[in-house]
Amino acid sequence: MSNLEISNISKCYEGREVLKNVGFKSSEKEFIVVVGPSGCGKSTLLKTIAGLTSVDAGRILIGEHDVTRSEPGDRDIAMVFQSYALYPHMTVAENMGFGLRMAGHPKQQIREAVEHAASILRITDYLDMRPKQLSGGQRQRVAIGRAITRSPAVFLFDEPLSNLDAALRTQMRVEIGQLYRRLDATMVYVTHDQVEAMTMATRIVLMNSGVIEQVGSPIELYTNPVNRFVAGFLGSPRMNFIEASVTEVNDDQIVVALEGLDDIRVARRHGVGVSRGDTVTLGIRPEEISVGRQRSHQLPARVELVEQLGREVIAYVDTGSIRAIESENGLGHLTIQVDRKSAMSRDDDIHIGFDAEDIYLFNADGMTMTPNRDTEKSPVHEVSEA
Amino acid sequence: MYPRQISKDDVLKKYLYLAAVTLVLMLWLLPLGAVILTSVRPASDAAVGNYWGWPSGFDLVKNYTEVFTQTPMGRYFFNSLVITIPSVIGVLVLSTLTGYVLSRYRFRGNTLLFAIFIGGNFLPFQIMMIPVRDLTISLGIYNSYLALIIFHVAFQTGFATLFMRNFIASLPDELFEAARSEGASPLQTLIHVVIPLVRPALAALAILAFTFIWNDYFWAVVLTPSDAVKPVTAGLDNLKGQYVANWSLISAATIAIAIPPVVMFFLMQRHFIRGLTMGAVKG
Ligand SMILES: Nc1ncnc2c1ncn2[C@@H]1O[C@H](COP(=O)(O)OP(=O)(O)O)[C@@H](O)[C@H]1O
Ligand SMILES: [Mg+2]
């Protein structure tokens, strides 16, 4: 029923490959979030699934049917656009019933479908209004309602929340999640916002310049990124990356050295190629760094900036010779995220520490060299006083 | 782009501007005023050379009635309507279709086809006079309504296509994608989405085409020599020959001819709705 299978899709625009061999498959109802930076081909992928863009190679299956060459209207999909794309000259009810009306369904049936969708989205009061009389959030509801009316097997969303303000975005995020649980349909949801991806997805498809980097559940991608791009893309604040060199390699361990620190011994992913003297990237998430001296590796640091977020504190610290690459503020500061109770202020001299087991290593090609970890383990450590 | 507003404080400039506008307007309207005045004069006024002075009497009803009772103007009027209305409809239908296809569908030769539509506008129609006349004769439609209708539609559709193509191209892409993903056929999209949204453009085009076709003199003279199918423009010329003395009657006929385009403007005006696409795609 809600089978969606995309295999080896490629798409060129003016000789430039925008999608390269993209594929994923879902055989049961799923909330798939396609996430990636702007311009990586997410919308193009969604439009190929919708049938609005033809593919150069590959196959698309929806339900039991090969729809690679079908018209959008014959694919059992409904699309929700970032810009809502409501017909301005029609009322909300007419907008929502448009698809069914074009398909020649009887009036009574259209009315029932529209009223049903409207009641799910709580927009029954607006049915006689025109789009321009509605707020952004209401328009987005109508656009979603228009999709529900046709009860498709697959819903396609293209950044539906990015025109809304922050509060409304959070609210709609929850509502779309509820909608998903209520409907018997697979959703493919495109966004550049990793928070939306982490919170909504049952499965994330993470894209970068036309290729899929990794597919998996949010916690899987967060805990076991296959490469540095995925590690850096998911998580806010971002993972810290530090350049380091390999001093010793054996079958199941890699030892890297950082100036002023004891040797860091991390587990080696089975079969990964590495040799002494290699330059690697060491990655550690801000929440894995704690303030104090209790971790296996410690170093002195100076607080440069503190962001008090209420629930937690994000601090940017200068660790002297150890510089973060591609750091959040571009100054080479490490980002740390600690409990709000940790009293810290600018120019404080503190000690920060981390455990070797929380370290990720990436080789020169960005591939992860550390083994997969248990996703059950809570990623956040208890934080103790400095 | 817009003329800059004159500041409120600059009184001298403001009055100079007002005076200049008034002067230009007067010069512009003077001939029209004279024609209107003449159309209500008794015929004797023109005979004694009273062109610009106060009329010696007011024969408004008499003159205008006579236009339709004493001359074939009624017939010409009817002919003009029979020629103009189908032509305008033809132009609107064709240019909406061509504009829709040219703006929304990529196909080989799209640009070339569009260029031909535009290029056609640059051909001076005087050079086509003889070929068009010969063509209508060999088609057997010379001296008929159909001849004028066909050629008016052909000549107006070039510009109208440019106009409609650009207007339809400016509609948001997402509306078309939405319609297509909801299973609407191209024709359904045209009827239910495009046409309601280009109504202001169609109204403007209707006025333009109507005025152009109604006022055409050239093709009327070339293609319809007989009174039975002649439109008002060519007919007015006839009037001059037959009633050379009666300038009041000719003036009245002239004013009567000018009325339909004005009526057309007011009929179409209500379609000029600002921001028809508002609420379509903006947050
Ligand atoms: N119709 C098109 N013609 C040419 N290039 C396009 C077209 N649509 C998208 N692209 C290009 O394809 C790339 C991916 O675009 P898109 O799928 O919209 O990215 P995303 O949605 O991830 O931001 C971009 O570099 C964009 O410029
Ligand atoms: Mg996009």
Side-chain angles (χ1 to χ4, degrees):
Chain A
M1 166 75 200
S2 30
N3 178 51
L4 172 68
E5 189 175 339
I6 289 148
S7 40
N8 305 324
I9 286 188
S10 295
K11 175 72 189 171
C12 279
Y13 276 128
E14 288 130 25
R16 207 160 51 87
E17 248 191 327
V18 176
L19 294 178
K20 292 167 214 158
N21 234 350
V22 168
F24 59 87
K25 183 178 166 172
S26 88
S27 41
E28 55 196 32
K29 168 180 159 172
E30 270 198 88
F31 199 119
I32 296 171
V33 175
V34 178
V35 67
S38 243
C40 71
K42 308 181 295 289
S43 295
T44 307
L45 172 62
L46 204 67
K47 281 184 188 173
T48 60
I49 301 174
L52 295 168
T53 301
S54 63
V55 295
D56 298 333
R59 242 160 52 100
I60 300 166
L61 261 76
I62 295 175
E64 301 308 315
H65 309 284
D66 184 338
V67 295
T68 317
R69 307 266 163 244
S70 309
E71 267 298 300
D74 305 330
R75 291 190 179 205
D76 210 4
I77 52 104
M79 185 144 172
V80 177
F81 296 84
Q82 175 180 353
S83 60
Y84 320 138
L86 299 177
Y87 312 116
H89 56 290
M90 298 181 199
T91 64
V92 167
E94 287 166 345
N95 262 287
M96 288 169 62
F98 183 77
L100 295 181
R101 190 154 68 94
M102 291 305 103
H105 287 254
K107 277 207 170 65
Q108 177 63 25
Q109 192 187 334
I110 298 174
R111 226 196 29 241
E112 278 164 15
V114 168
E115 277 166 7
H116 176 67
S119 73
I120 292 179
L121 292 161
R122 287 175 281 114
I123 48 174
T124 310
D125 292 345
Y126 313 128
L127 283 178
D128 293 324
M129 293 195 192
R130 283 183 203 272
K132 70 170 168 223
Q133 296 166 281
L134 304 179
S135 71
Q138 291 165 342
R139 283 181 206 176
Q140 193 51 276
R141 279 215 181 79
V142 175
I144 296 171
R146 185 168 66 178
I148 296 177
T149 313
R150 298 180 56 232
S151 46
V154 179
F155 280 84
L156 305 172
F157 293 89
D158 193 354
E159 312 220 5
L161 306 187
S162 48
N163 281 359
L164 303 179
D165 60 53
L168 206 50
R169 200 147 56 207
T170 314
Q171 186 194 337
M172 285 301 288
R173 212 164 69 200
V174 174
E175 277 190 34
I176 292 178
Q178 284 167 347
L179 192 67
Y180 162 69
R181 283 186 285 281
R182 183 160 177 177
L183 300 173
D184 183 25
T186 287
M187 305 205 164
V188 181
Y189 184 107
V190 158
T191 179
H192 63 268
D193 181 354
Q194 56 98 16
V195 177
E196 281 174 26
M198 291 298 292
T199 52
M200 302 172 86
T202 57
R203 205 143 59 107
I204 292 180
V205 173
L206 203 152
M207 285 183 68
N208 184 28
S209 38
V211 297
I212 292 183
E213 298 280 2
Q214 194 171 0
V215 179
S217 74
I219 197 67
E220 244 168 72
L221 263 62
Y222 190 82
T223 324
N224 294 314
V226 294
N227 58 31
R228 192 173 135 192
F229 179 83
V230 176
F233 192 85
L234 294 179
S236 174
R238 287 176 45 155
M239 184 183 276
N240 293 293
F241 295 114
I242 303 161
E243 216 161 77
S245 60
V246 176
T247 53
E248 202 186 316
V249 178
N250 55 43
D251 271 357
D252 49 10
Q253 262 194 343
I254 304 173
V255 183
V256 293
L258 280 181
E259 207 179 311
L261 282 178
D262 296 339
D263 278 355
I264 305 168
R265 297 178 171 276
V266 292
R268 175 180 176 182
R269 178 182 285 256
H270 182 72
V272 77
V274 58
S275 46
R276 245 190 98 198
D278 280 1
T279 301
V280 294
T281 306
L282 180 154
I284 179 140
R285 294 215 180 263
E287 67 269 21
E288 308 288 4
I289 302 179
S290 58
V291 178
R293 294 175 181 277
Q294 73 278 35
R295 298 271 175 238
S296 63
H297 298 272
Q298 296 153 32
L299 65 163
R302 165 171 289 231
V303 180
E304 293 291 338
L305 181 69
V306 178
E307 288 175 352
Q308 175 60 259
L309 297 183
R311 193 169 355 111
E312 72 252 351
V313 175
I314 295 174
Y316 301 90
V317 301
D318 191 336
T319 46
S321 56
I322 297 173
R323 317 297 299 174
I325 45 181
E326 299 164 17
S327 71
E328 294 263 23
N329 63 5
L331 294 174
H333 297 161
L334 290 186
T335 313
I336 66 176
Q337 180 185 337
V338 291
D339 189 83
R340 66 165 163 178
K341 287 187 223 94
S342 18
M344 244 193 301
S345 50
R346 222 194 127 129
D347 290 338
D348 279 358
D349 285 312
I350 56 171
H351 270 81
I352 58 170
F354 56 86
D355 290 332
E357 66 182 51
D358 294 326
I359 295 288
Y360 296 87
L361 285 185
F362 306 100
N363 69 13
D365 298 329
M367 302 315 292
T368 306
M369 303 157 76
T370 37
N372 284 350
R373 332 179 163 191
D374 189 1
T375 54
E376 298 297 309
K377 186 191 118 184
S378 156
V380 184
H381 283 288
E382 291 303 309
V383 178
S384 39
E385 308 307 311
Chain B
M1 284 300 280
Y2 297 102
R4 199 133 37 100
Q5 233 169 0
I6 295 172
S7 112
K8 278 213 176 75
D9 312 327
D10 205 338
V11 180
L12 183 68
K13 237 189 195 166
K14 197 171 111 187
Y15 284 114
L16 266 176
Y17 177 76
L18 264 178
V21 167
T22 316
L23 185 71
V24 170
L25 201 64
M26 297 265 283
L27 282 175
W28 184 260
L29 291 178
L30 208 59
L32 184 66
V35 173
I36 291 175
L37 219 53
T38 306
S39 77
V40 299
R41 285 174 202 282
S44 53
D45 268 20
V48 298
N50 182 9
Y51 302 137
W52 297 101
W54 197 246
S56 61
F58 286 94
D59 279 355
L60 181 134
V61 176
K62 176 173 172 284
N63 287 348
Y64 280 85
T65 321
E66 275 182 11
V67 165
F68 292 97
T69 53
Q70 304 293 306
T71 76
M73 271 321 268
R75 176 77 210 176
Y76 299 148
F77 231 91
F78 174 77
N79 293 343
S80 267
L81 287 175
V82 171
I83 292 161
T84 308
I85 291 171
S87 301
V88 170
I89 293 171
V91 169
L92 294 185
V93 169
L94 282 180
S95 63
T96 305
L97 290 171
T98 51
Y100 176 50
V101 170
L102 287 172
S103 64
R104 290 289 154 190
Y105 292 88
R106 287 178 177 202
F107 53 90
R108 193 182 288 273
N110 180 316
T111 317
L112 178 70
L113 199 61
F114 185 45
I116 293 172
F117 270 109
I118 299 173
N121 287 311
F122 297 122
L123 283 181
F125 46 73
Q126 286 83 351
I127 64 165
M128 291 182 281
M129 183 170 87
I130 309 285
V132 165
R133 182 181 170 277
D134 289 352
L135 182 60
T136 53
I137 288 173
S138 47
L139 285 175
I141 56 171
Y142 180 68
N143 200 22
S144 74
Y145 293 137
L146 195 58
L148 276 180
I149 292 170
I150 287 178
F151 284 94
H152 280 312
V153 169
F155 290 124
Q156 296 297 315
T157 298
F159 167 75
T161 294
L162 167 69
F163 191 88
M164 290 313 292
R165 191 206 92 106
N166 289 349
F167 209 88
I168 296 172
S170 74
L171 296 175
D173 289 338
E174 285 92 342
L175 286 185
F176 293 87
E177 290 180 341
R180 200 170 152 217
S181 67
E182 287 195 275
S185 70
L187 188 64
Q188 285 177 321
T189 308
L190 177 68
I191 292 169
H192 296 285
V193 178
V194 177
I195 290 178
L197 293 178
V198 298
R199 235 171 63 203
L202 286 173
L205 202 55
I207 294 171
L208 278 177
F210 187 95
T211 310
F212 247 84
I213 297 169
W214 183 270
N215 287 342
D216 164 73
Y217 178 66
F218 183 84
W219 292 114
V221 170
V222 172
L223 297 178
T224 51
S226 115
D227 266 8
V229 288
K230 207 188 272 292
V232 281
T233 43
L236 192 63
D237 200 40
N238 272 13
L239 230 52
K240 207 167 70 190
Q242 284 173 303
Y243 300 86
V244 74
N246 200 341
W247 283 107
S248 300
L249 215 55
I250 293 174
S251 299
T254 309
I255 298 299
I257 291 171
I259 288 171
V262 177
V263 170
M264 185 70 187
F265 182 83
F266 284 108
L267 279 182
M268 290 294 136
Q269 201 191 23
R270 68 191 180 89
H271 296 291
F272 294 122
I273 307 161
R274 280 171 62 107
L276 201 62
T277 51
M278 241 183 71
V281 293
K282 278 217 214 78

